[in-house]
Amino acid sequence: MTERGEDPRAITVFADYWQQLAEGAQGTIPEETIEPLVDVPELAAIEVSDEERREALSRVAVVKLNGGLGTSMGMSGPKSALVARDGQTFLDIIARQLIGLEERYGARPPLVLMNSARTREDSLALLERYPQLAQQDLPLDFLQSMEPKLDAETLAPVSWPEDPSLEWCPPGHGDVYVSLAASGLLDRMRAAGIRYAFISNADNLGATCDPDIAAWLLQEGVPFAAEVAERTLNDRKGGHLAVRREDGRLILRESAMVVDGEQDLFQDTTRHQWFNTNNLWVGLDELDALMRERDGVLGLPIIVNRKTVDPTRKDSTKVIQIESAMGTAVEAFEGSVALRVPRTRFRPVKTTNELLLLRSDVFELDEQSRVVSRIEHAEPRISLDDHYKFIADFDERFPQGVPSLRECTSFDVTGDVTFGSGVVAEGAVEVVAGAAATVPDGSRLTGRTELAAE
């Protein structure tokens, strides 16, 4: 890491985690050590004025995690450069959301991307479409750290001569704090009078910089806030917040931290009701003080991620990637809080199922480029088979756009099906094809439809 030019603080953090791993750390949180989180203040109860909103927006920087390549959808460039809807990429919409805030309130938080070396060039080129962003005092991005993957047997840095780049990996999004400090941005933000960093994933267009939250944080002097939403069966495998019995602090438990045999307790949505949206508000003064006090080591819980050195080859060397989650910093800050937010602030796109829904007429972009629902009932459940897994195949099968889903409750497609223009899905729809087939233009789909091969 030193030879690669990584910051000494990042090296210290990695060394600390490596020592924990060598001593047998599993990174688990047993159920017996936590209590369910029950008392959660709600965003809807916050009351602030437009002047307070404007002032608050001038004290916030927006940090978007932008290191993802979208490899699970067959992409090789930044996932945020994917068209989300209406011909606009994720980054287009994020930029327009911030410009919309300025038009509405007269203040625009600076945008800063946490890039990887492989997402930086394309992402910054895309943002050149918005000259307003170039006028901000802060740089538009900083780079996340890199660390060696470890041979699972020896815990030594793995060797993979076939592709040495695969010997390295990012340390999870918990690295955002170290990288903010290492880049000098933490100091620059504080010097510019910025009080909070709002940190979220670039693929979650629901994570807008909400001025009500920013104003509330300033009023209350909250050092760290994690947005949570009500947990449903669809979220049972996602991380949830809880209260540590030992000291009463909030903690985040991810699925990788669950003790063997306790998955049922982890997935019990009646017991653990609040899932982590990964939308975080971080007090920069408090972060700086913690980083200095702990020599850059915040002490976030270790996540032991077991993979193969080449993720496309299951026969390649087994490795451990030492990671941390940025949401686990909730336990590092004295006085941190959870804030209940509506589900609309959590719209991640991890698969083409979610992309289909986002591109459909279930949603639209409002005057501030926020994603808003056009339906009052529950969103339809989407299930596309592997013919649609990669974005190129997905786009090829929806050449005229995706079907209307406003009156749809579920949309299941099995087989190599291409959809024509003006297709409408109503109710519970299932489309099945044993060979390549086409849904004709203007079709109205209801119930189960079995298509004949072309």
Side-chain angles (χ1 to χ4, degrees), residues 57-64 98 108-113 120 124 127 130-142 180 183-198 284:
L57 289 173
S58 70
R59 307 285 303 279
V60 176
V62 171
V63 178
K64 292 290 183 180
L98 289 169
R108 172 170 50 83
L111 172 64
V112 182
L113 306 179
R120 178 174 233 173
L124 293 181
L127 290 181
Y130 304 95
Q132 302 98 314
L133 300 184
Q135 298 169 10
Q136 67 186 37
D137 293 332
L138 298 175
L140 280 166
D141 84 325
F142 63 102
L180 262 179
S183 66
L185 269 171
L186 178 56
D187 289 338
R188 291 183 64 176
M189 287 177 179
R190 294 178 63 235
I194 294 174
R195 179 70 178 86
Y196 289 97
F198 172 52
L284 298 183

Side-chain angles (χ1 to χ4, degrees), residues 26-27 29 43 47 58 77 80 189 213 225 252 301 310 386 390 402 420:
Q26 299 298 314
I29 300 176
L43 172 57
E47 295 183 5
S58 70
S80 58
M189 287 177 179
I213 298 177
L252 169 63
D310 183 341
D386 283 349
F390 296 144
V402 304

Side-chain angles (χ1 to χ4, degrees), residues 79-94 96-97 129-130 205 347 349 354-366 369-374 391 394-395 401-403 405-406:
K79 183 179 178 183
S80 58
L82 172 67
V83 171
R85 66 166 296 124
D86 300 346
Q88 299 179 45
T89 69
F90 286 88
L91 283 178
D92 283 316
I93 295 173
I94 288 168
R96 294 182 184 202
Q97 287 174 345
R129 302 173 187 173
Y130 304 95
L205 293 179
R347 297 206 181 283
V349 174
E354 290 134 345
L355 184 63
L356 176 74
L357 187 60
L358 179 63
R359 287 184 179 179
S360 78
D361 60 355
V362 169
F363 298 109
E364 64 182 358
L365 297 176
D366 70 6
S369 292
R370 294 174 300 193
V371 178
V372 294
S373 177
R374 300 178 64 196
I391 189 64
F394 174 91
D395 285 340
V402 304
L405 300 177
R406 289 182 65 181

Side-chain angles (χ1 to χ4, degrees), residues 91-365:
L91 283 178
D92 283 316
I93 295 173
I94 288 168
R96 294 182 184 202
Q97 287 174 345
L98 289 169
I99 293 168
L101 284 175
E102 185 171 30
E103 293 171 349
R104 171 71 175 82
Y105 297 106
R108 172 170 50 83
L111 172 64
V112 182
L113 306 179
M114 183 169 83
N115 276 321
S116 66
R118 296 176 68 182
T119 63
R120 178 174 233 173
E121 184 177 352
D122 289 347
S123 297
L124 293 181
L126 196 155
L127 290 181
E128 288 178 0
R129 302 173 187 173
Y130 304 95
Q132 302 98 314
L133 300 184
Q135 298 169 10
Q136 67 186 37
D137 293 332
L138 298 175
L140 280 166
D141 84 325
F142 63 102
L143 286 178
Q144 64 189 112
S145 306
M146 293 294 282
E147 66 182 19
K149 299 177 184 178
L150 303 176
D151 186 299
E153 294 293 327
T154 66
L155 301 189
V158 72
S159 175
W160 194 247
E162 294 179 35
D163 185 353
S165 70
L166 292 177
E167 298 170 358
W168 294 84
C169 63
H173 44 64
D175 173 66
V176 65
Y177 308 110
V178 174
S179 291
L180 262 179
S183 66
L185 269 171
L186 178 56
D187 289 338
R188 291 183 64 176
M189 287 177 179
R190 294 178 63 235
I194 294 174
R195 179 70 178 86
Y196 289 97
F198 172 52
I199 309 176
S200 59
N201 293 317
D203 68 359
N204 177 14
L205 293 179
T208 59
C209 185
D210 191 308
D212 288 34
I213 298 177
W216 176 73
L217 293 170
L218 285 167
Q219 289 174 356
E220 302 295 325
V222 174
F224 185 102
E227 294 185 26
V228 298
E230 191 168 0
R231 208 163 172 236
T232 68
L233 289 176
N234 291 332
D235 313 306
R236 64 188 185 277
K237 295 182 180 180
H240 68 81
L241 264 70
V243 179
R244 189 162 54 202
R245 286 182 175 175
E246 180 184 16
D247 55 12
R249 289 209 176 194
L250 290 178
I251 62 106
L252 169 63
R253 182 169 64 164
E254 301 277 13
S255 59
M257 300 173 172
V258 179
V259 175
D260 288 344
E262 293 191 349
Q263 285 292 338
D264 288 347
L265 291 169
F266 173 75
Q267 296 183 20
D268 185 347
T269 59
T270 61
R271 176 172 173 79
H272 297 294
Q273 300 180 41
W274 308 107
F275 78 87
N276 171 43
T277 65
N278 234 24
N279 301 343
L280 305 176
W281 299 78
V282 184
L284 298 183
D285 292 343
E286 292 86 353
L287 174 60
D288 180 70
L290 276 176
M291 295 288 285
R292 294 179 187 279
E293 174 189 329
R294 302 182 181 184
D295 294 325
V297 181
L298 287 182
L300 307 187
I302 187 174
I303 297 177
V304 180
N305 199 346
R306 297 181 182 274
K307 296 189 173 185
T308 54
V309 63
D310 183 341
T312 67
R313 285 184 49 185
K314 298 303 180 185
D315 63 339
S316 61
T317 306
K318 293 181 179 179
V319 296
I320 289 174
Q321 295 180 195
I322 298 176
E323 298 180 5
S324 63
M326 68 179 186
T328 60
V330 70
E331 69 181 65
F333 290 77
E334 183 74 42
S336 60
V337 301
L339 179 66
R340 179 180 178 180
V341 298
R343 187 91 186 185
T344 53
R345 290 189 59 75
F346 184 70
R347 297 206 181 283
V349 174
K350 304 300 181 186
T351 68
T352 50
N353 290 335
E354 290 134 345
L355 184 63
L356 176 74
L357 187 60
L358 179 63
R359 287 184 179 179
S360 78
D361 60 355
V362 169
F363 298 109
E364 64 182 358
L365 297 176

